[in-house]
């Protein structure tokens, strides 16, 4: 295997493994995971030791058939993924994808079986040599569907890129470039096959450097382009995780004193951040029955008020009626800004209390 083959394998298996978890919860991600996994398997069936072992064990070109079928599955999954993410909630516009793919797979498998498990081998041969005429027809069917999937996916990627946000647009453009490279790669192979069908004695041959470079551009473009949304989601997940961690000391201070403010429901990470903000705000509202909230919106001042009021509440002081005025700026429903402000309050609160709040909670 060449450096290009190893690089492609590393990229594809890395992309496949990284998408196992999201694939459990989303149809679109399942299709993308299927595309990368099938293509990675296709490259495994291209490895010379695997090909030699399978061909010798079965006396057929089974490894080649498996490479082609997994390649077709990959292209079909990729097209289904792009169609799903670009439909904008509308009914599927491509119900033909899977039935057509099933027909192509059936045709290729039947052709393979009718020739006694051969694709490239000339009839009567016992080892690979020149590709037989029937093998050229088989490859033309394979390349035609592969190019149809890649071209359709590239068209959808390019169309969606015109209306996508800036960062996502970069990913869609990269994916489109990958699709174009893939179409060129297969068109190059198909042109040689068709030339041999028209004139078996033609001198046309595939150009190895061109074939490998377009294939690598296709793999890198698809992997990088489809990873940008995942990267954005990963960064958002890390931000939410950091917000939960920073808000925790303040939240524990309130829930240890007012257990009822904690909402008992299982939600996703982003919703947990929103819930935690609401619980802290409810805790602040309860504290206004102990002490009048500060006029200042400065996080340090508010943190000091929370610390003092909680201490008074623990000592049994004050059981008035909440004032209804929660300290802090008017965020006009901007949860992101409110979360950032509360994180500052929580940081200062943690400094004021040291480890006391955590010790009481435990």
């Amino acid at each position: 295997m060449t450096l290009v083959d190893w690089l492609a394998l590393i990229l594809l298996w890395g992309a496949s493994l990284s998408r196992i978890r999201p694939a459990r919860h989303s149809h679109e991600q399942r299709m993308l995971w299927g595309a990368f996994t099938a293509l990675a398997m296709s490259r495994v069936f291209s490895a010379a030791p695997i090909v030699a072992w399978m061909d010798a064990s079965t006396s057929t070109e089974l490894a080649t058939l498996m490479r082609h079928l997994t390649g077709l599955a990959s292209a079909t999954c990729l097209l289904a993924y792009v169609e799903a993410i670009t439909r904008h909630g509308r009914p599927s516009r491509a119900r033909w994808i899977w039935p057509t793919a099933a027909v192509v797979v059936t045709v290729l498998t039947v052709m393979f079986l009718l020739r006694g498990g051969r694709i490239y081998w000339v009839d009567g041969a016992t080892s690979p040599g020149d590709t037989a005429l029937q093998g050229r027809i088989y490859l033309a069917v394979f390349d035609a569907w592969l190019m149809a999937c890649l071209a359709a996916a590239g068209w959808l990627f390019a169309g969606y890129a015109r209306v996508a946000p800036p960062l996502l647009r970069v990913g869609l453009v990269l994916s489109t470039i990958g699709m174009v490279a893939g179409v060129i790669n297969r068109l190059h192979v198909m042109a040689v096959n068709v030339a041999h069908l028209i004139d078996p004695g033609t001198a046309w041959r595939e150009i190895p450097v061109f074939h490998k470079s377009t294939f690598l551009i296709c793999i890198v473009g698809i992997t990088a382009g489809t990873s940008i949304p995942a990267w954005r989601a990963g960064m958002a997940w890390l931000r939410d995780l950091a917000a939960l961690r920073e808000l925790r000391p303040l939240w524990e201070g309130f829930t240890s004193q007012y257990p009822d403010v904690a909402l008992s429901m299982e939600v996703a990470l982003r919703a947990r951040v929103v819930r935690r903000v609401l619980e802290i705000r409810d805790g602040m509202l309860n504290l206004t029955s102990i002490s009048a909230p500060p006029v200042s919106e400065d996080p340090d001042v508010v943190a000091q008020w929370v610390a003092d009021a909680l201490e008074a509440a623990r000592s049994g002081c004050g059981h008035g009626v909440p004032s209804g005025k929660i300290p802090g700026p008017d965020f006009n429903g901007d949860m992101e800004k409110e979360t950032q402000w509360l994180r500052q309050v929580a940081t200062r609160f943690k400094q004021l209390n040291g480890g006391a709040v955590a010790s009481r909670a435990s």
Side-chain angles (χ1 to χ4, degrees), residues 41-120:
M41 289 299 301
S42 176
R43 301 320 299 167
V44 169
F45 289 122
S46 300
I50 300 295
V51 173
W53 173 72
M54 292 185 71
D55 286 2
S57 301
T58 63
S59 298
T60 66
E61 293 178 274
L62 182 60
T64 304
L65 176 68
M66 295 306 298
R67 181 177 81 238
H68 290 160
L69 296 187
T70 50
L72 290 177
S74 173
T76 307
C77 284
L78 183 63
L79 179 55
Y81 162 74
V82 183
E83 191 277 328
I85 66 171
T86 57
R87 72 173 67 149
H88 302 298
R90 295 171 295 188
S92 175
R93 298 163 294 168
R95 301 180 188 278
W96 52 270
I97 293 176
W98 291 106
T100 307
V103 169
V104 173
V105 167
T106 302
V107 168
L108 296 184
T109 304
V110 169
M111 291 179 70
F112 175 81
L113 295 174
L114 289 177
R115 293 203 63 233
R118 295 177 177 180
I119 298 171
Y120 294 108

Coordinates of all heavy atoms in Angstrom, one line a residue, residues 41-120:
M41 N -14.1 0.6 4.5 CA -14.1 -0.8 4.1 C -13.7 -1.1 2.7 O -13.0 -2.0 2.4 CB -15.5 -1.4 4.4 CG -15.9 -1.5 5.8 SD -14.8 -2.6 6.8 CE -15.0 -4.1 5.9
S42 N -14.1 -0.2 1.8 CA -13.7 -0.3 0.4 C -12.2 -0.2 0.3 O -11.6 -1.0 -0.5 CB -14.4 0.8 -0.4 OG -14.0 0.8 -1.7
R43 N -11.6 0.7 1.0 CA -10.1 0.8 0.9 C -9.5 -0.5 1.6 O -8.4 -0.9 1.1 CB -9.6 2.0 1.6 CG -10.2 3.3 1.1 CD -10.3 3.4 -0.4 NE -9.0 3.2 -1.1 CZ -8.9 2.9 -2.4 NH1 -9.9 2.7 -3.1 NH2 -7.6 2.8 -2.9
V44 N -10.1 -1.0 2.6 CA -9.5 -2.3 3.1 C -9.5 -3.4 2.1 O -8.6 -4.1 1.9 CB -10.3 -2.7 4.4 CG1 -9.9 -4.1 4.8 CG2 -10.1 -1.7 5.5
F45 N -10.6 -3.5 1.3 CA -10.7 -4.5 0.3 C -9.8 -4.2 -0.9 O -9.7 -5.0 -1.8 CB -12.2 -4.7 -0.2 CG -13.1 -5.3 0.8 CD1 -14.2 -4.7 1.3 CD2 -12.8 -6.6 1.3 CE1 -15.1 -5.3 2.2 CE2 -13.6 -7.2 2.2 CZ -14.7 -6.6 2.7
S46 N -9.2 -3.0 -0.9 CA -8.2 -2.7 -1.9 C -6.8 -3.0 -1.6 O -5.9 -3.0 -2.4 CB -8.3 -1.1 -2.2 OG -9.6 -0.8 -2.6
A47 N -6.6 -3.3 -0.3 CA -5.2 -3.6 0.2 C -4.7 -4.9 -0.5 O -5.4 -6.0 -0.5 CB -5.2 -3.8 1.7
A48 N -3.5 -4.9 -1.0 CA -3.0 -6.0 -1.7 C -3.0 -7.3 -0.9 O -3.4 -8.4 -1.5 CB -1.6 -5.7 -2.2
P49 N -2.6 -7.4 0.3 CA -2.7 -8.6 1.1 C -4.1 -9.2 1.2 O -4.3 -10.4 1.1 CB -2.1 -8.3 2.5 CG -1.3 -7.0 2.2 CD -2.0 -6.3 1.1
I50 N -5.0 -8.3 1.4 CA -6.4 -8.7 1.5 C -6.9 -9.3 0.2 O -7.6 -10.3 0.2 CB -7.3 -7.6 2.0 CG1 -6.9 -7.0 3.4 CG2 -8.8 -8.0 2.1 CD1 -7.0 -8.0 4.5
V51 N -6.6 -8.6 -0.9 CA -7.0 -9.0 -2.2 C -6.4 -10.4 -2.5 O -7.1 -11.3 -3.0 CB -6.6 -8.0 -3.3 CG1 -6.9 -8.5 -4.7 CG2 -7.3 -6.7 -3.1
A52 N -5.1 -10.5 -2.3 CA -4.5 -11.8 -2.6 C -5.1 -13.0 -1.7 O -5.3 -14.1 -2.3 CB -3.0 -11.7 -2.3
W53 N -5.3 -12.7 -0.5 CA -5.9 -13.8 0.4 C -7.3 -14.2 0.0 O -7.6 -15.4 -0.1 CB -5.9 -13.3 1.9 CG -6.6 -14.2 2.8 CD1 -6.1 -15.4 3.2 CD2 -7.9 -14.0 3.4 NE1 -7.1 -16.0 4.0 CE2 -8.1 -15.2 4.1 CE3 -8.8 -13.0 3.3 CZ2 -9.3 -15.3 4.9 CZ3 -10.0 -13.1 4.0 CH2 -10.2 -14.3 4.8
M54 N -8.1 -13.2 -0.3 CA -9.5 -13.5 -0.6 C -9.6 -14.1 -2.0 O -10.4 -15.1 -2.2 CB -10.4 -12.2 -0.6 CG -10.6 -11.6 0.8 SD -11.7 -10.2 0.8 CE -13.3 -11.0 0.5
D55 N -8.8 -13.7 -3.0 CA -8.8 -14.3 -4.3 C -8.3 -15.7 -4.3 O -8.9 -16.6 -4.9 CB -8.0 -13.4 -5.3 CG -8.7 -12.1 -5.6 OD1 -9.8 -11.9 -5.1 OD2 -8.1 -11.4 -6.5
A56 N -7.2 -15.9 -3.5 CA -6.7 -17.3 -3.4 C -7.6 -18.2 -2.7 O -7.7 -19.4 -3.0 CB -5.3 -17.2 -2.7
S57 N -8.3 -17.7 -1.6 CA -9.2 -18.6 -0.8 C -10.5 -19.0 -1.6 O -11.0 -20.0 -1.4 CB -9.6 -17.8 0.4 OG -8.5 -17.5 1.2
T58 N -11.0 -18.1 -2.5 CA -12.2 -18.3 -3.2 C -12.1 -18.6 -4.6 O -13.1 -19.0 -5.3 CB -13.1 -17.1 -3.0 OG1 -12.5 -16.0 -3.7 CG2 -13.4 -16.7 -1.6
S59 N -10.9 -18.4 -5.2 CA -10.6 -18.6 -6.6 C -11.5 -17.7 -7.4 O -12.0 -18.0 -8.5 CB -10.8 -20.1 -7.0 OG -9.9 -20.9 -6.4
T60 N -11.9 -16.6 -6.8 CA -12.7 -15.6 -7.5 C -12.1 -14.2 -7.3 O -11.1 -14.1 -6.6 CB -14.2 -15.6 -7.0 OG1 -14.2 -15.1 -5.6 CG2 -14.8 -17.0 -7.1
E61 N -12.8 -13.2 -7.8 CA -12.3 -11.8 -7.5 C -13.3 -11.2 -6.5 O -13.8 -10.1 -6.7 CB -12.3 -11.0 -8.8 CG -11.3 -11.4 -9.8 CD -11.3 -10.6 -11.1 OE1 -12.1 -11.0 -12.0 OE2 -10.6 -9.6 -11.2
L62 N -13.5 -11.9 -5.4 CA -14.5 -11.5 -4.4 C -14.0 -10.2 -3.7 O -14.9 -9.3 -3.4 CB -14.6 -12.6 -3.3 CG -15.6 -12.3 -2.2 CD1 -17.0 -12.1 -2.7 CD2 -15.5 -13.4 -1.1
A63 N -12.7 -10.0 -3.5 CA -12.3 -8.7 -2.9 C -12.6 -7.5 -3.8 O -13.1 -6.5 -3.3 CB -10.8 -8.8 -2.7
T64 N -12.5 -7.7 -5.1 CA -12.9 -6.6 -6.0 C -14.4 -6.3 -5.9 O -14.8 -5.1 -5.9 CB -12.5 -6.9 -7.4 OG1 -11.1 -7.2 -7.4 CG2 -12.7 -5.8 -8.4
L65 N -15.2 -7.4 -5.9 CA -16.6 -7.2 -5.8 C -17.0 -6.4 -4.5 O -17.8 -5.5 -4.5 CB -17.4 -8.5 -5.9 CG -18.9 -8.4 -5.7 CD1 -19.5 -7.7 -6.9 CD2 -19.5 -9.8 -5.5
M66 N -16.4 -6.9 -3.4 CA -16.7 -6.2 -2.1 C -16.2 -4.8 -2.1 O -16.9 -3.9 -1.5 CB -16.0 -7.0 -1.0 CG -16.5 -8.4 -0.8 SD -18.3 -8.5 -0.6 CE -18.5 -7.5 0.9
R67 N -15.1 -4.5 -2.8 CA -14.6 -3.1 -2.8 C -15.6 -2.3 -3.6 O -15.9 -1.1 -3.2 CB -13.3 -3.1 -3.5 CG -12.7 -1.6 -3.6 CD -11.3 -1.6 -4.3 NE -11.4 -1.7 -5.7 CZ -10.8 -2.6 -6.4 NH1 -10.1 -3.6 -5.9 NH2 -10.9 -2.6 -7.8
H68 N -16.2 -2.8 -4.7 CA -17.1 -2.0 -5.5 C -18.4 -1.9 -4.7 O -19.0 -0.8 -4.8 CB -17.3 -2.7 -6.8 CG -16.2 -2.7 -7.7 ND1 -16.0 -3.5 -8.8 CD2 -15.1 -1.9 -7.7 CE1 -14.9 -3.3 -9.4 NE2 -14.3 -2.2 -8.8
L69 N -18.9 -2.9 -4.1 CA -20.2 -2.8 -3.4 C -20.1 -1.8 -2.2 O -21.1 -1.1 -2.0 CB -20.7 -4.2 -2.9 CG -21.0 -5.2 -4.1 CD1 -21.6 -6.5 -3.4 CD2 -21.9 -4.6 -5.1
T70 N -19.1 -1.9 -1.5 CA -18.9 -1.0 -0.3 C -18.7 0.5 -0.9 O -19.2 1.4 -0.2 CB -17.8 -1.4 0.6 OG1 -16.6 -1.6 -0.2 CG2 -18.1 -2.6 1.4
G71 N -18.0 0.6 -2.0 CA -17.9 1.9 -2.6 C -19.2 2.5 -3.0 O -19.5 3.7 -2.8
L72 N -20.1 1.7 -3.6 CA -21.4 2.1 -4.0 C -22.2 2.5 -2.8 O -23.0 3.4 -2.8 CB -22.1 1.0 -4.8 CG -21.6 0.7 -6.2 CD1 -22.3 -0.4 -6.9 CD2 -21.7 2.0 -7.1
A73 N -22.1 1.6 -1.7 CA -22.9 1.9 -0.5 C -22.4 3.3 0.1 O -23.3 4.1 0.6 CB -22.7 0.8 0.5
S74 N -21.1 3.5 0.0 CA -20.6 4.8 0.5 C -21.2 6.0 -0.2 O -21.7 7.0 0.4 CB -19.1 4.8 0.5 OG -18.6 6.1 0.8
A75 N -21.1 5.9 -1.6 CA -21.6 7.0 -2.4 C -23.1 7.2 -2.2 O -23.6 8.4 -2.1 CB -21.3 6.7 -3.8
T76 N -23.9 6.1 -2.0 CA -25.3 6.2 -1.8 C -25.6 6.8 -0.5 O -26.5 7.7 -0.4 CB -26.0 4.8 -2.0 OG1 -25.6 4.2 -3.2 CG2 -27.5 4.9 -1.9
C77 N -24.9 6.4 0.6 CA -25.1 7.0 1.9 C -24.8 8.5 1.9 O -25.5 9.3 2.5 CB -24.3 6.3 2.9 SG -24.9 4.7 3.4
L78 N -23.7 8.9 1.2 CA -23.3 10.3 1.1 C -24.4 11.1 0.4 O -24.8 12.2 0.9 CB -22.0 10.4 0.4 CG -21.4 11.8 0.3 CD1 -21.1 12.3 1.7 CD2 -20.2 11.9 -0.6
L79 N -24.9 10.6 -0.7 CA -26.0 11.3 -1.4 C -27.2 11.4 -0.5 O -27.9 12.5 -0.4 CB -26.3 10.6 -2.7 CG -27.5 11.2 -3.5 CD1 -27.2 12.7 -3.8 CD2 -27.7 10.4 -4.8
A80 N -27.6 10.3 0.2 CA -28.7 10.4 1.1 C -28.5 11.4 2.3 O -29.4 12.1 2.7 CB -29.0 9.0 1.7
Y81 N -27.3 11.5 2.8 CA -26.9 12.5 3.8 C -27.1 13.9 3.3 O -27.8 14.7 3.9 CB -25.5 12.3 4.2 CG -24.9 13.4 5.0 CD1 -25.2 13.7 6.3 CD2 -23.9 14.3 4.3 CE1 -24.7 14.8 7.0 CE2 -23.4 15.4 5.0 CZ -23.8 15.6 6.3 OH -23.2 16.7 7.0
V82 N -26.6 14.2 2.1 CA -26.7 15.6 1.6 C -28.1 15.9 1.3 O -28.6 17.0 1.6 CB -25.8 15.7 0.3 CG1 -25.9 17.1 -0.2 CG2 -24.4 15.3 0.5
E83 N -28.9 15.0 0.8 CA -30.3 15.2 0.5 C -31.0 15.5 1.7 O -31.9 16.4 1.8 CB -30.9 14.0 -0.2 CG -32.2 14.2 -0.8 CD -33.4 14.0 0.2 OE1 -33.2 13.2 1.1 OE2 -34.4 14.7 0.1
A84 N -30.7 14.8 2.8 CA -31.4 15.0 4.1 C -31.1 16.4 4.7 O -32.0 17.1 5.2 CB -31.0 13.9 5.1
I85 N -29.8 16.8 4.7 CA -29.5 18.1 5.3 C -29.9 19.3 4.5 O -29.9 20.4 5.0 CB -28.0 18.2 5.7 CG1 -27.1 18.2 4.4 CG2 -27.5 17.0 6.5 CD1 -25.7 18.5 4.6
T86 N -30.2 19.1 3.2 CA -30.6 20.2 2.4 C -32.1 20.3 2.1 O -32.5 21.2 1.4 CB -29.8 20.2 1.1 OG1 -30.1 19.0 0.4 CG2 -28.4 20.3 1.3
R87 N -32.9 19.4 2.7 CA -34.3 19.4 2.3 C -35.1 20.4 3.2 O -36.2 20.7 2.9 CB -34.9 18.0 2.5 CG -35.1 17.5 3.9 CD -35.8 16.2 4.0 NE -35.1 15.1 3.4 CZ -35.2 13.9 3.9 NH1 -36.0 13.6 5.0 NH2 -34.5 12.9 3.4
H88 N -34.5 20.9 4.3 CA -35.1 22.0 5.1 C -36.5 21.6 5.7 O -37.4 22.3 5.6 CB -35.2 23.3 4.4 CG -33.9 23.8 3.9 ND1 -32.9 24.2 4.7 CD2 -33.4 24.0 2.6 CE1 -31.8 24.6 4.0 NE2 -32.2 24.5 2.7
G89 N -36.6 20.3 6.1 CA -37.8 19.9 6.7 C -38.9 19.4 5.7 O -40.0 19.0 6.1
R90 N -38.6 19.6 4.4 CA -39.5 19.2 3.4 C -39.5 17.7 3.2 O -38.5 17.0 3.5 CB -39.2 19.9 2.1 CG -39.4 21.4 2.1 CD -38.9 22.1 0.9 NE -37.4 21.9 0.8 CZ -36.7 22.5 -0.1 NH1 -37.2 23.3 -1.0 NH2 -35.4 22.3 -0.1
P91 N -40.5 17.1 2.6 CA -40.5 15.6 2.3 C -39.3 15.3 1.4 O -38.8 16.2 0.6 CB -41.8 15.4 1.6 CG -42.7 16.5 2.0 CD -41.8 17.7 2.2
S92 N -38.8 14.1 1.5 CA -37.7 13.7 0.7 C -37.9 13.9 -0.8 O -39.0 13.5 -1.3 CB -37.3 12.2 0.9 OG -36.3 11.8 0.1
R93 N -36.9 14.4 -1.5 CA -37.0 14.7 -2.9 C -36.3 13.6 -3.7 O -36.1 13.7 -4.9 CB -36.4 16.0 -3.3 CG -37.1 17.2 -2.7 CD -36.2 18.4 -2.7 NE -35.0 18.3 -1.9 CZ -34.0 19.0 -1.9 NH1 -33.9 20.1 -2.7 NH2 -32.9 18.8 -1.1
A94 N -35.8 12.6 -3.0 CA -34.9 11.6 -3.6 C -35.2 10.2 -3.2 O -34.4 9.4 -2.7 CB -33.4 11.9 -3.4
R95 N -36.5 9.8 -3.3 CA -36.9 8.5 -2.9 C -36.3 7.4 -3.8 O -36.3 6.2 -3.5 CB -38.4 8.3 -2.9 CG -39.1 9.3 -1.9 CD -40.6 9.2 -2.0 NE -41.3 10.2 -1.3 CZ -41.5 10.3 0.1 NH1 -41.0 9.3 0.8 NH2 -42.1 11.3 0.6
W96 N -35.8 7.8 -4.9 CA -35.2 6.9 -5.9 C -33.8 6.4 -5.5 O -33.3 5.5 -6.1 CB -35.1 7.6 -7.3 CG -34.4 9.0 -7.2 CD1 -35.0 10.2 -7.0 CD2 -33.0 9.2 -7.3 NE1 -34.1 11.2 -6.9 CE2 -32.8 10.6 -7.1 CE3 -31.9 8.4 -7.5 CZ2 -31.6 11.2 -7.2 CZ3 -30.7 9.0 -7.6 CH2 -30.5 10.4 -7.4
I97 N -33.2 7.1 -4.5 CA -31.8 6.8 -4.2 C -31.6 5.3 -3.9 O -30.8 4.6 -4.6 CB -31.3 7.7 -3.1 CG1 -31.2 9.1 -3.5 CG2 -29.9 7.2 -2.7 CD1 -30.8 10.1 -2.4
W98 N -32.3 4.8 -2.9 CA -32.0 3.5 -2.4 C -32.5 2.4 -3.4 O -31.8 1.4 -3.6 CB -32.6 3.3 -1.0 CG -31.8 4.1 0.0 CD1 -32.2 5.2 0.6 CD2 -30.5 3.8 0.4 NE1 -31.2 5.7 1.4 CE2 -30.1 4.8 1.4 CE3 -29.5 2.8 0.2 CZ2 -28.9 4.8 2.0 CZ3 -28.3 2.8 0.8 CH2 -28.0 3.8 1.7
P99 N -33.7 2.6 -4.0 CA -34.1 1.5 -5.0 C -33.2 1.4 -6.1 O -32.8 0.3 -6.6 CB -35.5 2.1 -5.4 CG -36.0 2.9 -4.3 CD -34.8 3.5 -3.7
T100 N -32.7 2.6 -6.6 CA -31.7 2.6 -7.7 C -30.4 1.9 -7.3 O -29.8 1.1 -8.1 CB -31.4 4.0 -8.2 OG1 -32.7 4.6 -8.5 CG2 -30.6 3.9 -9.5
A101 N -29.9 2.2 -6.1 CA -28.7 1.6 -5.6 C -28.9 0.1 -5.5 O -28.0 -0.7 -5.9 CB -28.3 2.2 -4.3
A102 N -30.1 -0.4 -5.1 CA -30.3 -1.8 -4.9 C -30.3 -2.5 -6.3 O -29.8 -3.6 -6.4 CB -31.7 -2.0 -4.2
V103 N -30.8 -1.8 -7.3 CA -30.8 -2.4 -8.7 C -29.4 -2.5 -9.2 O -29.0 -3.5 -9.7 CB -31.7 -1.5 -9.6 CG1 -31.4 -1.9 -11.1 CG2 -33.1 -1.6 -9.2
V104 N -28.6 -1.5 -9.0 CA -27.2 -1.5 -9.4 C -26.4 -2.6 -8.7 O -25.7 -3.3 -9.4 CB -26.5 -0.1 -9.2 CG1 -25.0 -0.2 -9.5 CG2 -27.2 1.0 -10.0
V105 N -26.6 -2.7 -7.4 CA -25.9 -3.7 -6.7 C -26.3 -5.1 -7.2 O -25.5 -6.0 -7.3 CB -26.2 -3.6 -5.1 CG1 -25.7 -4.9 -4.4 CG2 -25.5 -2.4 -4.6
T106 N -27.6 -5.3 -7.4 CA -28.1 -6.6 -7.9 C -27.5 -6.9 -9.3 O -27.0 -8.0 -9.5 CB -29.6 -6.6 -8.0 OG1 -30.2 -6.3 -6.7 CG2 -30.1 -7.9 -8.5
V107 N -27.5 -5.9 -10.2 CA -26.9 -6.1 -11.5 C -25.4 -6.5 -11.4 O -25.0 -7.5 -12.1 CB -27.1 -4.8 -12.4 CG1 -26.2 -4.9 -13.6 CG2 -28.5 -4.6 -12.7
L108 N -24.7 -5.8 -10.6 CA -23.2 -6.1 -10.5 C -23.0 -7.5 -9.9 O -22.1 -8.3 -10.4 CB -22.5 -5.1 -9.7 CG -22.5 -3.6 -10.2 CD1 -21.7 -2.7 -9.3 CD2 -21.9 -3.6 -11.6
T109 N -23.8 -7.8 -8.9 CA -23.6 -9.2 -8.3 C -24.0 -10.3 -9.2 O -23.3 -11.3 -9.3 CB -24.5 -9.3 -7.0 OG1 -24.2 -8.2 -6.1 CG2 -24.3 -10.6 -6.3
V110 N -25.1 -10.1 -10.0 CA -25.5 -11.1 -11.0 C -24.4 -11.3 -12.1 O -24.1 -12.4 -12.4 CB -26.9 -10.7 -11.6 CG1 -27.2 -11.6 -12.8 CG2 -28.0 -10.9 -10.5
M111 N -23.9 -10.1 -12.6 CA -22.8 -10.2 -13.6 C -21.6 -10.9 -13.0 O -21.0 -11.8 -13.7 CB -22.5 -8.8 -14.0 CG -23.5 -8.1 -14.8 SD -23.0 -6.4 -15.3 CE -21.8 -6.8 -16.5
F112 N -21.3 -10.7 -11.8 CA -20.2 -11.3 -11.1 C -20.4 -12.8 -11.0 O -19.5 -13.6 -11.4 CB -20.0 -10.7 -9.7 CG -18.9 -11.4 -8.9 CD1 -17.6 -11.0 -9.0 CD2 -19.3 -12.3 -7.9 CE1 -16.6 -11.6 -8.3 CE2 -18.3 -12.9 -7.1 CZ -17.0 -12.5 -7.3
L113 N -21.6 -13.2 -10.6 CA -21.9 -14.7 -10.5 C -21.9 -15.4 -11.8 O -21.5 -16.5 -12.0 CB -23.2 -14.8 -9.7 CG -23.2 -14.4 -8.3 CD1 -24.6 -14.5 -7.7 CD2 -22.2 -15.2 -7.4
L114 N -22.5 -14.7 -12.8 CA -22.7 -15.3 -14.1 C -21.3 -15.6 -14.8 O -21.1 -16.5 -15.6 CB -23.5 -14.5 -15.1 CG -25.0 -14.4 -14.8 CD1 -25.7 -13.4 -15.7 CD2 -25.6 -15.8 -14.8
R115 N -20.3 -14.8 -14.4 CA -19.0 -15.0 -15.0 C -18.1 -15.9 -14.1 O -16.9 -15.9 -14.2 CB -18.3 -13.6 -15.1 CG -18.9 -12.7 -16.2 CD -17.9 -11.7 -16.7 NE -16.8 -12.4 -17.4 CZ -15.5 -12.2 -17.1 NH1 -15.2 -11.3 -16.2 NH2 -14.6 -12.8 -17.8
G116 N -18.8 -16.5 -13.1 CA -18.0 -17.5 -12.3 C -17.2 -16.8 -11.3 O -16.1 -17.3 -10.9
G117 N -17.6 -15.6 -10.8 CA -16.9 -14.9 -9.7 C -15.7 -14.1 -10.3 O -14.7 -13.8 -9.6
R118 N -15.9 -13.6 -11.5 CA -14.8 -12.9 -12.2 C -15.3 -11.5 -12.6 O -16.4 -11.3 -12.9 CB -14.2 -13.6 -13.4 CG -13.6 -14.9 -13.0 CD -13.1 -15.7 -14.2 NE -12.4 -16.9 -13.8 CZ -11.8 -17.7 -14.7 NH1 -11.9 -17.5 -16.0 NH2 -11.2 -18.8 -14.2
I119 N -14.4 -10.5 -12.6 CA -14.6 -9.2 -13.1 C -13.6 -8.8 -14.1 O -13.9 -8.6 -15.3 CB -14.6 -8.2 -11.9 CG1 -15.7 -8.5 -10.9 CG2 -14.8 -6.7 -12.5 CD1 -15.7 -7.7 -9.7
Y120 N -12.3 -8.8 -13.7 CA -11.2 -8.4 -14.6 C -10.7 -9.6 -15.4 O -10.2 -9.4 -16.5 CB -10.1 -7.8 -13.7 CG -10.4 -6.5 -13.1 CD1 -10.6 -6.5 -11.7 CD2 -10.5 -5.4 -13.8 CE1 -10.9 -5.3 -11.0 CE2 -10.8 -4.2 -13.2 CZ -11.0 -4.1 -11.8 OH -11.3 -3.0 -11.2

